[in-house]
Amino acid sequence: MDSLNKLWLSTGLANFELGQVIMMLVGCGLLYLAIARNFEPLLLLPMGFGAILTNIPISGLSEIGGLLHYIYYAGIDTGIFPLLIFMGVGAMTDFGALIANPKTLLLGAAAQFGIFATLFGAIALNMVPGIEFSLKDAAAISIIGGADGPTAIFVASRLAPELLGAIAVAAYSYMAMVPIIQPPIMRALTTVEERKIEMAQLRPVTKIEKIIFPLGVLMMAIFFLPAATPLVGMFCLGNLMRESGVVDRLSSTVQNELINIVTILLGLGVGSKLSAEAFLNVQTLGILALGAVAFSIGTASGVLMAKVMNKFSKIPINPLIGAAGVSAVPMAARVANKVGLEANPHNFLLMHAMGPNVAGVLGSAVAAGILLALVG
Amino acid sequence: MNSMEQQFLEAGTLMLAGMVFVFVFLSLLIIFINTVLAKLSIKFPDPITLNTARSNKKNNKAANGEISPAIVAVISGAVSRYRKQHASSPQKSTK
């Protein structure tokens, strides 16, 4: 009888707590979004599964000695996984459109207003009872507005590890929802005439420019913002591998095998942070709301900046490409292209939108560096 | 309430400093592209002509190698059939 009782106590059924059940359902929700709705499946699938695994009673997967615990501490707590992913993103990024039209860097800068405005919003949310965000928490939440998964995870792991799960979920779900969030804002802020503007063809960019560019970016980060050099450095390393053309094997590994392996581990590690006590609270709701605000403000400020630039520039600039300044590569550029095609079926903005799009990646890495330097 | 005000002040300063810094950093990058990279691109243009010549040569070689045995036979067959068909045509006779 005693052993029967012991057996019963070692089953999951006897040990379930309500929070764990709810978090498993949240994990299933993430799996649903990944599988049925195709929302960033590469990350949400391992993340959702990680959330289920970490909430299994008495298995201790995310306690000391458990697999998820080690994955989290080896890769995310140290910041290694998001930085490796950033290297892969660098190897996938073509700066050609940006070098051909460097003014678009200003659009990438303007869209970062989403980050800093949200910082203000997060502090304002402290007025709601039950929510208490420190300046570090607020900074970590606001980086969702950078629309850049690895950057968000990196900053959150430095500034507010206990909010990491909610921040990663918000960042990746909103990135998947860019095609839903952005177009209404873009249409509301522009006239049909502005959306019809066709842009001049981009000049060809030489190989030497593409090779020197990442080195120049790194040099500037070294001089002005060393706090951003983990992100910028890995990004530039990946980009140099791509553009130098002498290490195709490394470049291909970094943007395929390595990024795939790290994505699995990153997803599981973030999932392990989706425990009931860390996720089921009012703060998570606040983070989800702030994430949407951050994306919207970033989009709006990018579009408005492009409108201003169009007024003062001799060469016409379609304001829609400003929305691509929130990184979310390449989804945001595709959205700009699609909304442009609606107004003018002969207007292909994709290449023009890639400029502000990759500028947004640099912009959010710089913004992350500023937050780490000033708040961390 | 005092700490609340202080936090708002901090967030505001951070917002201002952050935006100014992002703009300055990326503006410097614009200057870098417009000066250093632009000069480099003029000084060291891509060897475009060489590349295309090489690739054309390759293409021709490949194309010749592939076409000659099989497709030439097909084409000559088609031509001879065309000639046969049109041998009795009035056009031919008028010629």
Side-chain angles (χ1 to χ4, degrees), chain A residues 112-124 138-139 141-145 287 289-295 297-298, chain B residues 15:
Chain A
Q112 307 314 317
F113 187 61
I115 293 180
F116 294 103
T118 308
L119 186 77
F120 219 72
I123 294 294
I141 296 164
S142 66
I143 202 73
I144 299 172
I287 290 170
L290 286 169
V293 172
F295 261 66
I297 295 179
Chain B
M15 181 162 90

mmCIF file with all atom_site columns, all heavy atoms in Angstrom, chain A residues 112-124 138-139 141-145 287 289-295 297-298, chain B residues 15:
data_model
loop_
_atom_site.group_PDB
_atom_site.id
_atom_site.type_symbol
_atom_site.label_atom_id
_atom_site.label_alt_id
_atom_site.label_comp_id
_atom_site.label_asym_id
_atom_site.label_entity_id
_atom_site.label_seq_id
_atom_site.pdbx_PDB_ins_code
_atom_site.Cartn_x
_atom_site.Cartn_y
_atom_site.Cartn_z
_atom_site.occupancy
_atom_site.B_iso_or_equiv
_atom_site.pdbx_formal_charge
_atom_site.auth_seq_id
_atom_site.auth_comp_id
_atom_site.auth_asym_id
_atom_site.auth_atom_id
_atom_site.pdbx_PDB_model_num
ATOM 1   N N   . GLN A 1 112 ? 13.426 54.042 -34.202 1.00 0.00 ? 112 GLN A N   1
ATOM 2   C CA  . GLN A 1 112 ? 13.820 53.638 -32.844 1.00 0.00 ? 112 GLN A CA  1
ATOM 3   C C   . GLN A 1 112 ? 13.094 54.467 -31.779 1.00 0.00 ? 112 GLN A C   1
ATOM 4   O O   . GLN A 1 112 ? 13.190 54.176 -30.589 1.00 0.00 ? 112 GLN A O   1
ATOM 5   C CB  . GLN A 1 112 ? 15.333 53.746 -32.644 1.00 0.00 ? 112 GLN A CB  1
ATOM 6   C CG  . GLN A 1 112 ? 16.148 53.014 -33.691 1.00 0.00 ? 112 GLN A CG  1
ATOM 7   C CD  . GLN A 1 112 ? 15.641 51.628 -33.958 1.00 0.00 ? 112 GLN A CD  1
ATOM 8   O OE1 . GLN A 1 112 ? 15.288 50.883 -33.055 1.00 0.00 ? 112 GLN A OE1 1
ATOM 9   N NE2 . GLN A 1 112 ? 15.553 51.259 -35.233 1.00 0.00 ? 112 GLN A NE2 1
ATOM 10  N N   . PHE A 1 113 ? 12.374 55.508 -32.231 1.00 0.00 ? 113 PHE A N   1
ATOM 11  C CA  . PHE A 1 113 ? 11.584 56.269 -31.271 1.00 0.00 ? 113 PHE A CA  1
ATOM 12  C C   . PHE A 1 113 ? 10.580 55.358 -30.573 1.00 0.00 ? 113 PHE A C   1
ATOM 13  O O   . PHE A 1 113 ? 10.214 55.601 -29.411 1.00 0.00 ? 113 PHE A O   1
ATOM 14  C CB  . PHE A 1 113 ? 10.870 57.430 -31.979 1.00 0.00 ? 113 PHE A CB  1
ATOM 15  C CG  . PHE A 1 113 ? 10.165 58.348 -31.041 1.00 0.00 ? 113 PHE A CG  1
ATOM 16  C CD1 . PHE A 1 113 ? 10.872 59.037 -30.061 1.00 0.00 ? 113 PHE A CD1 1
ATOM 17  C CD2 . PHE A 1 113 ? 8.790  58.516 -31.108 1.00 0.00 ? 113 PHE A CD2 1
ATOM 18  C CE1 . PHE A 1 113 ? 10.215 59.879 -29.188 1.00 0.00 ? 113 PHE A CE1 1
ATOM 19  C CE2 . PHE A 1 113 ? 8.136  59.362 -30.226 1.00 0.00 ? 113 PHE A CE2 1
ATOM 20  C CZ  . PHE A 1 113 ? 8.847  60.039 -29.264 1.00 0.00 ? 113 PHE A CZ  1
ATOM 21  N N   . GLY A 1 114 ? 10.162 54.301 -31.279 1.00 0.00 ? 114 GLY A N   1
ATOM 22  C CA  . GLY A 1 114 ? 9.260  53.323 -30.664 1.00 0.00 ? 114 GLY A CA  1
ATOM 23  C C   . GLY A 1 114 ? 9.841  52.783 -29.366 1.00 0.00 ? 114 GLY A C   1
ATOM 24  O O   . GLY A 1 114 ? 9.135  52.605 -28.370 1.00 0.00 ? 114 GLY A O   1
ATOM 25  N N   . ILE A 1 115 ? 11.152 52.528 -29.369 1.00 0.00 ? 115 ILE A N   1
ATOM 26  C CA  . ILE A 1 115 ? 11.810 51.986 -28.174 1.00 0.00 ? 115 ILE A CA  1
ATOM 27  C C   . ILE A 1 115 ? 11.753 52.995 -27.030 1.00 0.00 ? 115 ILE A C   1
ATOM 28  O O   . ILE A 1 115 ? 11.275 52.687 -25.932 1.00 0.00 ? 115 ILE A O   1
ATOM 29  C CB  . ILE A 1 115 ? 13.292 51.649 -28.486 1.00 0.00 ? 115 ILE A CB  1
ATOM 30  C CG1 . ILE A 1 115 ? 13.372 50.503 -29.479 1.00 0.00 ? 115 ILE A CG1 1
ATOM 31  C CG2 . ILE A 1 115 ? 14.040 51.319 -27.200 1.00 0.00 ? 115 ILE A CG2 1
ATOM 32  C CD1 . ILE A 1 115 ? 14.791 50.110 -29.843 1.00 0.00 ? 115 ILE A CD1 1
ATOM 33  N N   . PHE A 1 116 ? 12.201 54.223 -27.326 1.00 0.00 ? 116 PHE A N   1
ATOM 34  C CA  . PHE A 1 116 ? 12.361 55.175 -26.231 1.00 0.00 ? 116 PHE A CA  1
ATOM 35  C C   . PHE A 1 116 ? 11.022 55.716 -25.732 1.00 0.00 ? 116 PHE A C   1
ATOM 36  O O   . PHE A 1 116 ? 10.886 56.053 -24.549 1.00 0.00 ? 116 PHE A O   1
ATOM 37  C CB  . PHE A 1 116 ? 13.314 56.291 -26.661 1.00 0.00 ? 116 PHE A CB  1
ATOM 38  C CG  . PHE A 1 116 ? 14.711 55.785 -26.880 1.00 0.00 ? 116 PHE A CG  1
ATOM 39  C CD1 . PHE A 1 116 ? 15.195 55.580 -28.154 1.00 0.00 ? 116 PHE A CD1 1
ATOM 40  C CD2 . PHE A 1 116 ? 15.516 55.464 -25.803 1.00 0.00 ? 116 PHE A CD2 1
ATOM 41  C CE1 . PHE A 1 116 ? 16.476 55.087 -28.355 1.00 0.00 ? 116 PHE A CE1 1
ATOM 42  C CE2 . PHE A 1 116 ? 16.790 54.975 -25.985 1.00 0.00 ? 116 PHE A CE2 1
ATOM 43  C CZ  . PHE A 1 116 ? 17.279 54.783 -27.267 1.00 0.00 ? 116 PHE A CZ  1
ATOM 44  N N   . ALA A 1 117 ? 10.026 55.790 -26.621 1.00 0.00 ? 117 ALA A N   1
ATOM 45  C CA  . ALA A 1 117 ? 8.699  56.219 -26.176 1.00 0.00 ? 117 ALA A CA  1
ATOM 46  C C   . ALA A 1 117 ? 8.088  55.159 -25.266 1.00 0.00 ? 117 ALA A C   1
ATOM 47  O O   . ALA A 1 117 ? 7.408  55.467 -24.281 1.00 0.00 ? 117 ALA A O   1
ATOM 48  C CB  . ALA A 1 117 ? 7.807  56.485 -27.380 1.00 0.00 ? 117 ALA A CB  1
ATOM 49  N N   . THR A 1 118 ? 8.354  53.881 -25.597 1.00 0.00 ? 118 THR A N   1
ATOM 50  C CA  . THR A 1 118 ? 7.804  52.798 -24.790 1.00 0.00 ? 118 THR A CA  1
ATOM 51  C C   . THR A 1 118 ? 8.431  52.768 -23.400 1.00 0.00 ? 118 THR A C   1
ATOM 52  O O   . THR A 1 118 ? 7.790  52.388 -22.416 1.00 0.00 ? 118 THR A O   1
ATOM 53  C CB  . THR A 1 118 ? 8.024  51.451 -25.496 1.00 0.00 ? 118 THR A CB  1
ATOM 54  O OG1 . THR A 1 118 ? 7.538  51.572 -26.814 1.00 0.00 ? 118 THR A OG1 1
ATOM 55  C CG2 . THR A 1 118 ? 7.313  50.347 -24.787 1.00 0.00 ? 118 THR A CG2 1
ATOM 56  N N   . LEU A 1 119 ? 9.688  53.170 -23.354 1.00 0.00 ? 119 LEU A N   1
ATOM 57  C CA  . LEU A 1 119 ? 10.358 53.267 -22.053 1.00 0.00 ? 119 LEU A CA  1
ATOM 58  C C   . LEU A 1 119 ? 9.550  54.176 -21.124 1.00 0.00 ? 119 LEU A C   1
ATOM 59  O O   . LEU A 1 119 ? 9.314  53.872 -19.957 1.00 0.00 ? 119 LEU A O   1
ATOM 60  C CB  . LEU A 1 119 ? 11.756 53.851 -22.286 1.00 0.00 ? 119 LEU A CB  1
ATOM 61  C CG  . LEU A 1 119 ? 12.696 53.911 -21.111 1.00 0.00 ? 119 LEU A CG  1
ATOM 62  C CD1 . LEU A 1 119 ? 13.259 52.543 -20.844 1.00 0.00 ? 119 LEU A CD1 1
ATOM 63  C CD2 . LEU A 1 119 ? 13.829 54.872 -21.389 1.00 0.00 ? 119 LEU A CD2 1
ATOM 64  N N   . PHE A 1 120 ? 9.109  55.272 -21.689 1.00 0.00 ? 120 PHE A N   1
ATOM 65  C CA  . PHE A 1 120 ? 8.276  56.215 -20.954 1.00 0.00 ? 120 PHE A CA  1
ATOM 66  C C   . PHE A 1 120 ? 6.955  55.560 -20.559 1.00 0.00 ? 120 PHE A C   1
ATOM 67  O O   . PHE A 1 120 ? 6.511  55.678 -19.410 1.00 0.00 ? 120 PHE A O   1
ATOM 68  C CB  . PHE A 1 120 ? 8.003  57.414 -21.873 1.00 0.00 ? 120 PHE A CB  1
ATOM 69  C CG  . PHE A 1 120 ? 8.036  58.716 -21.174 1.00 0.00 ? 120 PHE A CG  1
ATOM 70  C CD1 . PHE A 1 120 ? 9.230  59.258 -20.749 1.00 0.00 ? 120 PHE A CD1 1
ATOM 71  C CD2 . PHE A 1 120 ? 6.862  59.410 -20.933 1.00 0.00 ? 120 PHE A CD2 1
ATOM 72  C CE1 . PHE A 1 120 ? 9.263  60.469 -20.099 1.00 0.00 ? 120 PHE A CE1 1
ATOM 73  C CE2 . PHE A 1 120 ? 6.884  60.616 -20.286 1.00 0.00 ? 120 PHE A CE2 1
ATOM 74  C CZ  . PHE A 1 120 ? 8.091  61.151 -19.870 1.00 0.00 ? 120 PHE A CZ  1
ATOM 75  N N   . GLY A 1 121 ? 6.379  54.833 -21.527 1.00 0.00 ? 121 GLY A N   1
ATOM 76  C CA  . GLY A 1 121 ? 5.097  54.158 -21.277 1.00 0.00 ? 121 GLY A CA  1
ATOM 77  C C   . GLY A 1 121 ? 5.208  53.133 -20.168 1.00 0.00 ? 121 GLY A C   1
ATOM 78  O O   . GLY A 1 121 ? 4.309  53.001 -19.328 1.00 0.00 ? 121 GLY A O   1
ATOM 79  N N   . ALA A 1 122 ? 6.328  52.390 -20.143 1.00 0.00 ? 122 ALA A N   1
ATOM 80  C CA  . ALA A 1 122 ? 6.502  51.355 -19.125 1.00 0.00 ? 122 ALA A CA  1
ATOM 81  C C   . ALA A 1 122 ? 6.569  51.984 -17.735 1.00 0.00 ? 122 ALA A C   1
ATOM 82  O O   . ALA A 1 122 ? 6.004  51.456 -16.768 1.00 0.00 ? 122 ALA A O   1
ATOM 83  C CB  . ALA A 1 122 ? 7.771  50.552 -19.405 1.00 0.00 ? 122 ALA A CB  1
ATOM 84  N N   . ILE A 1 123 ? 7.256  53.127 -17.645 1.00 0.00 ? 123 ILE A N   1
ATOM 85  C CA  . ILE A 1 123 ? 7.319  53.814 -16.351 1.00 0.00 ? 123 ILE A CA  1
ATOM 86  C C   . ILE A 1 123 ? 5.935  54.327 -15.970 1.00 0.00 ? 123 ILE A C   1
ATOM 87  O O   . ILE A 1 123 ? 5.511  54.244 -14.806 1.00 0.00 ? 123 ILE A O   1
ATOM 88  C CB  . ILE A 1 123 ? 8.334  54.977 -16.423 1.00 0.00 ? 123 ILE A CB  1
ATOM 89  C CG1 . ILE A 1 123 ? 9.752  54.435 -16.630 1.00 0.00 ? 123 ILE A CG1 1
ATOM 90  C CG2 . ILE A 1 123 ? 8.280  55.822 -15.160 1.00 0.00 ? 123 ILE A CG2 1
ATOM 91  C CD1 . ILE A 1 123 ? 10.301 53.622 -15.483 1.00 0.00 ? 123 ILE A CD1 1
ATOM 92  N N   . ALA A 1 124 ? 5.188  54.806 -16.967 1.00 0.00 ? 124 ALA A N   1
ATOM 93  C CA  . ALA A 1 124 ? 3.838  55.316 -16.699 1.00 0.00 ? 124 ALA A CA  1
ATOM 94  C C   . ALA A 1 124 ? 2.922  54.206 -16.192 1.00 0.00 ? 124 ALA A C   1
ATOM 95  O O   . ALA A 1 124 ? 2.017  54.443 -15.385 1.00 0.00 ? 124 ALA A O   1
ATOM 96  C CB  . ALA A 1 124 ? 3.258  55.956 -17.952 1.00 0.00 ? 124 ALA A CB  1
ATOM 97  N N   . ALA A 1 138 ? 11.877 48.548 -17.486 1.00 0.00 ? 138 ALA A N   1
ATOM 98  C CA  . ALA A 1 138 ? 11.279 49.367 -18.536 1.00 0.00 ? 138 ALA A CA  1
ATOM 99  C C   . ALA A 1 138 ? 12.156 49.371 -19.777 1.00 0.00 ? 138 ALA A C   1
ATOM 100 O O   . ALA A 1 138 ? 11.659 49.259 -20.905 1.00 0.00 ? 138 ALA A O   1
ATOM 101 C CB  . ALA A 1 138 ? 11.080 50.798 -18.038 1.00 0.00 ? 138 ALA A CB  1
ATOM 102 N N   . ALA A 1 139 ? 13.473 49.465 -19.580 1.00 0.00 ? 139 ALA A N   1
ATOM 103 C CA  . ALA A 1 139 ? 14.391 49.473 -20.722 1.00 0.00 ? 139 ALA A CA  1
ATOM 104 C C   . ALA A 1 139 ? 14.333 48.142 -21.457 1.00 0.00 ? 139 ALA A C   1
ATOM 105 O O   . ALA A 1 139 ? 14.303 48.099 -22.688 1.00 0.00 ? 139 ALA A O   1
ATOM 106 C CB  . ALA A 1 139 ? 15.813 49.758 -20.241 1.00 0.00 ? 139 ALA A CB  1
ATOM 107 N N   . ILE A 1 141 ? 11.837 46.047 -21.552 1.00 0.00 ? 141 ILE A N   1
ATOM 108 C CA  . ILE A 1 141 ? 10.554 45.908 -22.248 1.00 0.00 ? 141 ILE A CA  1
ATOM 109 C C   . ILE A 1 141 ? 10.553 46.756 -23.516 1.00 0.00 ? 141 ILE A C   1
ATOM 110 O O   . ILE A 1 141 ? 10.096 46.334 -24.580 1.00 0.00 ? 141 ILE A O   1
ATOM 111 C CB  . ILE A 1 141 ? 9.396  46.339 -21.332 1.00 0.00 ? 141 ILE A CB  1
ATOM 112 C CG1 . ILE A 1 141 ? 9.309  45.403 -20.135 1.00 0.00 ? 141 ILE A CG1 1
ATOM 113 C CG2 . ILE A 1 141 ? 8.083  46.341 -22.089 1.00 0.00 ? 141 ILE A CG2 1
ATOM 114 C CD1 . ILE A 1 141 ? 8.468  45.961 -19.002 1.00 0.00 ? 141 ILE A CD1 1
ATOM 115 N N   . SER A 1 142 ? 11.093 47.976 -23.405 1.00 0.00 ? 142 SER A N   1
ATOM 116 C CA  . SER A 1 142 ? 10.987 48.898 -24.536 1.00 0.00 ? 142 SER A CA  1
ATOM 117 C C   . SER A 1 142 ? 11.731 48.383 -25.756 1.00 0.00 ? 142 SER A C   1
ATOM 118 O O   . SER A 1 142 ? 11.365 48.701 -26.880 1.00 0.00 ? 142 SER A O   1
ATOM 119 C CB  . SER A 1 142 ? 11.525 50.270 -24.141 1.00 0.00 ? 142 SER A CB  1
ATOM 120 O OG  . SER A 1 142 ? 12.901 50.183 -23.885 1.00 0.00 ? 142 SER A OG  1
ATOM 121 N N   . ILE A 1 143 ? 12.746 47.542 -25.559 1.00 0.00 ? 143 ILE A N   1
ATOM 122 C CA  . ILE A 1 143 ? 13.531 47.061 -26.702 1.00 0.00 ? 143 ILE A CA  1
ATOM 123 C C   . ILE A 1 143 ? 12.672 46.190 -27.622 1.00 0.00 ? 143 ILE A C   1
ATOM 124 O O   . ILE A 1 143 ? 13.044 45.935 -28.769 1.00 0.00 ? 143 ILE A O   1
ATOM 125 C CB  . ILE A 1 143 ? 14.797 46.313 -26.212 1.00 0.00 ? 143 ILE A CB  1
ATOM 126 C CG1 . ILE A 1 143 ? 15.873 46.279 -27.307 1.00 0.00 ? 143 ILE A CG1 1
ATOM 127 C CG2 . ILE A 1 143 ? 14.489 44.927 -25.772 1.00 0.00 ? 143 ILE A CG2 1
ATOM 128 C CD1 . ILE A 1 143 ? 16.541 47.588 -27.536 1.00 0.00 ? 143 ILE A CD1 1
ATOM 129 N N   . ILE A 1 144 ? 11.502 45.743 -27.156 1.00 0.00 ? 144 ILE A N   1
ATOM 130 C CA  . ILE A 1 144 ? 10.573 45.037 -28.057 1.00 0.00 ? 144 ILE A CA  1
ATOM 131 C C   . ILE A 1 144 ? 10.307 45.902 -29.281 1.00 0.00 ? 144 ILE A C   1
ATOM 132 O O   . ILE A 1 144 ? 10.137 45.405 -30.389 1.00 0.00 ? 144 ILE A O   1
ATOM 133 C CB  . ILE A 1 144 ? 9.233  44.721 -27.346 1.00 0.00 ? 144 ILE A CB  1
ATOM 134 C CG1 . ILE A 1 144 ? 9.480  43.813 -26.153 1.00 0.00 ? 144 ILE A CG1 1
ATOM 135 C CG2 . ILE A 1 144 ? 8.249  44.056 -28.295 1.00 0.00 ? 144 ILE A CG2 1
ATOM 136 C CD1 . ILE A 1 144 ? 8.243  43.615 -25.289 1.00 0.00 ? 144 ILE A CD1 1
ATOM 137 N N   . GLY A 1 145 ? 10.284 47.236 -29.074 1.00 0.00 ? 145 GLY A N   1
ATOM 138 C CA  . GLY A 1 145 ? 10.027 48.160 -30.182 1.00 0.00 ? 145 GLY A CA  1
ATOM 139 C C   . GLY A 1 145 ? 11.094 48.115 -31.249 1.00 0.00 ? 145 GLY A C   1
ATOM 140 O O   . GLY A 1 145 ? 10.893 48.605 -32.353 1.00 0.00 ? 145 GLY A O   1
ATOM 141 N N   . ILE A 1 287 ? 3.410  44.045 -20.411 1.00 0.00 ? 287 ILE A N   1
ATOM 142 C CA  . ILE A 1 287 ? 4.471  43.885 -21.412 1.00 0.00 ? 287 ILE A CA  1
ATOM 143 C C   . ILE A 1 287 ? 3.880  43.668 -22.796 1.00 0.00 ? 287 ILE A C   1
ATOM 144 O O   . ILE A 1 287 ? 4.329  44.267 -23.782 1.00 0.00 ? 287 ILE A O   1
ATOM 145 C CB  . ILE A 1 287 ? 5.395  42.719 -21.023 1.00 0.00 ? 287 ILE A CB  1
ATOM 146 C CG1 . ILE A 1 287 ? 6.214  43.102 -19.786 1.00 0.00 ? 287 ILE A CG1 1
ATOM 147 C CG2 . ILE A 1 287 ? 6.323  42.352 -22.162 1.00 0.00 ? 287 ILE A CG2 1
ATOM 148 C CD1 . ILE A 1 287 ? 6.971  41.947 -19.167 1.00 0.00 ? 287 ILE A CD1 1
ATOM 149 N N   . ALA A 1 289 ? 0.961  44.635 -23.872 1.00 0.00 ? 289 ALA A N   1
ATOM 150 C CA  . ALA A 1 289 ? 0.361  45.890 -24.342 1.00 0.00 ? 289 ALA A CA  1
ATOM 151 C C   . ALA A 1 289 ? 1.452  46.866 -24.798 1.00 0.00 ? 289 ALA A C   1
ATOM 152 O O   . ALA A 1 289 ? 1.360  47.461 -25.879 1.00 0.00 ? 289 ALA A O   1
ATOM 153 C CB  . ALA A 1 289 ? -0.466 46.525 -23.226 1.00 0.00 ? 289 ALA A CB  1
ATOM 154 N N   . LEU A 1 290 ? 2.506  46.985 -23.987 1.00 0.00 ? 290 LEU A N   1
ATOM 155 C CA  . LEU A 1 290 ? 3.589  47.910 -24.340 1.00 0.00 ? 290 LEU A CA  1
ATOM 156 C C   . LEU A 1 290 ? 4.278  47.509 -25.639 1.00 0.00 ? 290 LEU A C   1
ATOM 157 O O   . LEU A 1 290 ? 4.675  48.366 -26.429 1.00 0.00 ? 290 LEU A O   1
ATOM 158 C CB  . LEU A 1 290 ? 4.626  47.954 -23.213 1.00 0.00 ? 290 LEU A CB  1
ATOM 159 C CG  . LEU A 1 290 ? 4.209  48.711 -21.961 1.00 0.00 ? 290 LEU A CG  1
ATOM 160 C CD1 . LEU A 1 290 ? 5.191  48.441 -20.841 1.00 0.00 ? 290 LEU A CD1 1
ATOM 161 C CD2 . LEU A 1 290 ? 4.130  50.200 -22.249 1.00 0.00 ? 290 LEU A CD2 1
ATOM 162 N N   . GLY A 1 291 ? 4.403  46.200 -25.868 1.00 0.00 ? 291 GLY A N   1
ATOM 163 C CA  . GLY A 1 291 ? 5.027  45.735 -27.110 1.00 0.00 ? 291 GLY A CA  1
ATOM 164 C C   . GLY A 1 291 ? 4.267  46.224 -28.327 1.00 0.00 ? 291 GLY A C   1
ATOM 165 O O   . GLY A 1 291 ? 4.856  46.717 -29.291 1.00 0.00 ? 291 GLY A O   1
ATOM 166 N N   . ALA A 1 292 ? 2.933  46.111 -28.280 1.00 0.00 ? 292 ALA A N   1
ATOM 167 C CA  . ALA A 1 292 ? 2.120  46.583 -29.410 1.00 0.00 ? 292 ALA A CA  1
ATOM 168 C C   . ALA A 1 292 ? 2.282  48.081 -29.592 1.00 0.00 ? 292 ALA A C   1
ATOM 169 O O   . ALA A 1 292 ? 2.409  48.581 -30.713 1.00 0.00 ? 292 ALA A O   1
ATOM 170 C CB  . ALA A 1 292 ? 0.650  46.226 -29.167 1.00 0.00 ? 292 ALA A CB  1
ATOM 171 N N   . VAL A 1 293 ? 2.299  48.825 -28.478 1.00 0.00 ? 293 VAL A N   1
ATOM 172 C CA  . VAL A 1 293 ? 2.478  50.280 -28.548 1.00 0.00 ? 293 VAL A CA  1
ATOM 173 C C   . VAL A 1 293 ? 3.836  50.603 -29.176 1.00 0.00 ? 293 VAL A C   1
ATOM 174 O O   . VAL A 1 293 ? 3.955  51.471 -30.058 1.00 0.00 ? 293 VAL A O   1
ATOM 175 C CB  . VAL A 1 293 ? 2.387  50.897 -27.134 1.00 0.00 ? 293 VAL A CB  1
ATOM 176 C CG1 . VAL A 1 293 ? 2.771  52.369 -27.166 1.00 0.00 ? 293 VAL A CG1 1
ATOM 177 C CG2 . VAL A 1 293 ? 0.988  50.727 -26.580 1.00 0.00 ? 293 VAL A CG2 1
ATOM 178 N N   . ALA A 1 294 ? 4.877  49.863 -28.738 1.00 0.00 ? 294 ALA A N   1
ATOM 179 C CA  . ALA A 1 294 ? 6.226  50.120 -29.235 1.00 0.00 ? 294 ALA A CA  1
ATOM 180 C C   . ALA A 1 294 ? 6.294  49.945 -30.749 1.00 0.00 ? 294 ALA A C   1
ATOM 181 O O   . ALA A 1 294 ? 6.848  50.779 -31.462 1.00 0.00 ? 294 ALA A O   1
ATOM 182 C CB  . ALA A 1 294 ? 7.224  49.187 -28.553 1.00 0.00 ? 294 ALA A CB  1
ATOM 183 N N   . PHE A 1 295 ? 5.698  48.861 -31.248 1.00 0.00 ? 295 PHE A N   1
ATOM 184 C CA  . PHE A 1 295 ? 5.699  48.609 -32.688 1.00 0.00 ? 295 PHE A CA  1
ATOM 185 C C   . PHE A 1 295 ? 4.979  49.715 -33.437 1.00 0.00 ? 295 PHE A C   1
ATOM 186 O O   . PHE A 1 295 ? 5.442  50.198 -34.465 1.00 0.00 ? 295 PHE A O   1
ATOM 187 C CB  . PHE A 1 295 ? 4.996  47.275 -32.974 1.00 0.00 ? 295 PHE A CB  1
ATOM 188 C CG  . PHE A 1 295 ? 5.934  46.145 -33.175 1.00 0.00 ? 295 PHE A CG  1
ATOM 189 C CD1 . PHE A 1 295 ? 6.725  45.697 -32.140 1.00 0.00 ? 295 PHE A CD1 1
ATOM 190 C CD2 . PHE A 1 295 ? 6.039  45.525 -34.398 1.00 0.00 ? 295 PHE A CD2 1
ATOM 191 C CE1 . PHE A 1 295 ? 7.594  44.652 -32.321 1.00 0.00 ? 295 PHE A CE1 1
ATOM 192 C CE2 . PHE A 1 295 ? 6.910  44.477 -34.596 1.00 0.00 ? 295 PHE A CE2 1
ATOM 193 C CZ  . PHE A 1 295 ? 7.681  44.036 -33.559 1.00 0.00 ? 295 PHE A CZ  1
ATOM 194 N N   . ILE A 1 297 ? 4.318  52.862 -32.516 1.00 0.00 ? 297 ILE A N   1
ATOM 195 C CA  . ILE A 1 297 ? 5.013  54.154 -32.490 1.00 0.00 ? 297 ILE A CA  1
ATOM 196 C C   . ILE A 1 297 ? 6.231  54.115 -33.412 1.00 0.00 ? 297 ILE A C   1
ATOM 197 O O   . ILE A 1 297 ? 6.502  55.069 -34.147 1.00 0.00 ? 297 ILE A O   1
ATOM 198 C CB  . ILE A 1 297 ? 5.440  54.520 -31.045 1.00 0.00 ? 297 ILE A CB  1
ATOM 199 C CG1 . ILE A 1 297 ? 4.203  54.722 -30.181 1.00 0.00 ? 297 ILE A CG1 1
ATOM 200 C CG2 . ILE A 1 297 ? 6.296  55.773 -31.039 1.00 0.00 ? 297 ILE A CG2 1
ATOM 201 C CD1 . ILE A 1 297 ? 4.523  55.054 -28.731 1.00 0.00 ? 297 ILE A CD1 1
ATOM 202 N N   . GLY A 1 298 ? 6.956  53.000 -33.396 1.00 0.00 ? 298 GLY A N   1
ATOM 203 C CA  . GLY A 1 298 ? 8.111  52.871 -34.281 1.00 0.00 ? 298 GLY A CA  1
ATOM 204 C C   . GLY A 1 298 ? 7.718  53.015 -35.739 1.00 0.00 ? 298 GLY A C   1
ATOM 205 O O   . GLY A 1 298 ? 8.352  53.751 -36.505 1.00 0.00 ? 298 GLY A O   1
ATOM 206 N N   . MET B 2 15  ? 15.193 58.981 -22.968 1.00 0.00 ? 15  MET B N   1
ATOM 207 C CA  . MET B 2 15  ? 14.563 59.071 -24.279 1.00 0.00 ? 15  MET B CA  1
ATOM 208 C C   . MET B 2 15  ? 15.283 60.109 -25.130 1.00 0.00 ? 15  MET B C   1
ATOM 209 O O   . MET B 2 15  ? 15.636 59.853 -26.280 1.00 0.00 ? 15  MET B O   1
ATOM 210 C CB  . MET B 2 15  ? 13.088 59.436 -24.113 1.00 0.00 ? 15  MET B CB  1
ATOM 211 C CG  . MET B 2 15  ? 12.331 59.535 -25.399 1.00 0.00 ? 15  MET B CG  1
ATOM 212 S SD  . MET B 2 15  ? 10.559 59.453 -25.120 1.00 0.00 ? 15  MET B SD  1
ATOM 213 C CE  . MET B 2 15  ? 10.187 61.159 -24.915 1.00 0.00 ? 15  MET B CE  1
#
